Amino acid sequence: MGYIKDSPFYKDAIHEFNYPSGNYYLFDTFVVAEINEGVLFTWDDHAKPITEEFTHLYDNNGEDIVYISNRVNLYSVKPSDWVKFFRNGYNLRGYAVVSYTSRGIFNSLIEKLFMRNSFQSFDNLGDAITWAKELTQKIEVDSENEQSA
């Protein structure tokens, strides 16, 4: 298992937020979340206030951000709450789940059913961060090409 604090990526974090539900590490184009053990992560109790705060910090609705859920702890997610996320006008460039167990990988497949954007599942944090960087770089290049055309 790989906590972000124990990785070489931690030094590049712009900001760290510690909420009762978990820790969030903000980077230029992605967020790494590590939810605490035993939490039932729901839209109303956890995601909504965090999403609102990050929307103000990044100054957009998330459309340029990749969210990485680094599942170093066992917790539950209410997958259908992703509908509330999108219904409230939020978006993501991509969503990655880093699972260290076969059960975690299975659970991420259920979440994928509710996603409207790029989704990937990984077994290590480094690969997820590489994917997030590549995804946002590809979008930047495509945007520049459209502007010059």
Side-chain angles (χ1 to χ4, degrees):
M1 286 190 223
Y3 288 91
I4 190 81
K5 281 190 170 183
D6 298 332
S7 78
F9 305 107
Y10 180 69
K11 66 178 177 28
D12 297 326
I14 297 168
H15 205 295
E16 176 180 340
F17 286 91
N18 306 109
Y19 291 94
S21 62
N23 301 315
Y24 298 81
Y25 305 90
L26 279 60
F27 297 81
D28 282 335
T29 58
F30 62 94
V31 173
V32 176
E34 294 177 348
I35 307 302
N36 291 335
E37 187 83 23
V39 169
L40 171 55
F41 197 83
T42 65
W43 170 254
D44 293 323
D45 294 336
H46 307 101
K48 183 179 180 184
I50 293 165
T51 300
E52 289 172 349
E53 185 167 358
F54 290 177
T55 297
H56 294 296
L57 289 171
Y58 281 109
D59 198 28
N60 67 50
N61 70 348
E63 62 196 10
D64 297 326
I65 303 299
V66 175
Y67 181 88
I68 301 171
S69 178
N70 188 28
R71 301 206 170 151
V72 290
N73 297 309
L74 294 176
Y75 65 95
S76 301
V77 174
K78 188 174 178 186
S80 60
D81 274 6
W82 277 109
V83 173
K84 294 179 182 179
F85 175 84
F86 295 116
R87 193 177 293 149
N88 281 281
Y90 299 109
N91 204 349
L92 289 172
R93 174 68 53 210
Y95 177 62
V97 174
V98 181
S99 297
Y100 301 94
T101 66
S102 56
R103 179 180 178 195
I105 292 168
F106 175 76
N107 288 342
S108 70
L109 294 175
I110 294 170
E111 278 184 82
K112 183 178 182 176
L113 298 173
F114 295 92
M115 299 309 297
R116 294 183 182 170
N117 49 337
S118 295
F119 175 92
Q120 287 289 335
S121 184
F122 298 94
D123 62 5
N124 69 78
L125 183 59
D127 288 348
I129 290 175
T130 298
W131 175 78
K133 289 179 178 180
E134 289 172 356
L135 186 62
T136 54
Q137 286 174 347
K138 178 184 180 295
I139 300 305
E140 290 171 6
V141 169
D142 289 347
S143 177
E144 289 173 6
N145 289 340
E146 286 176 10
Q147 290 176 358
S148 65

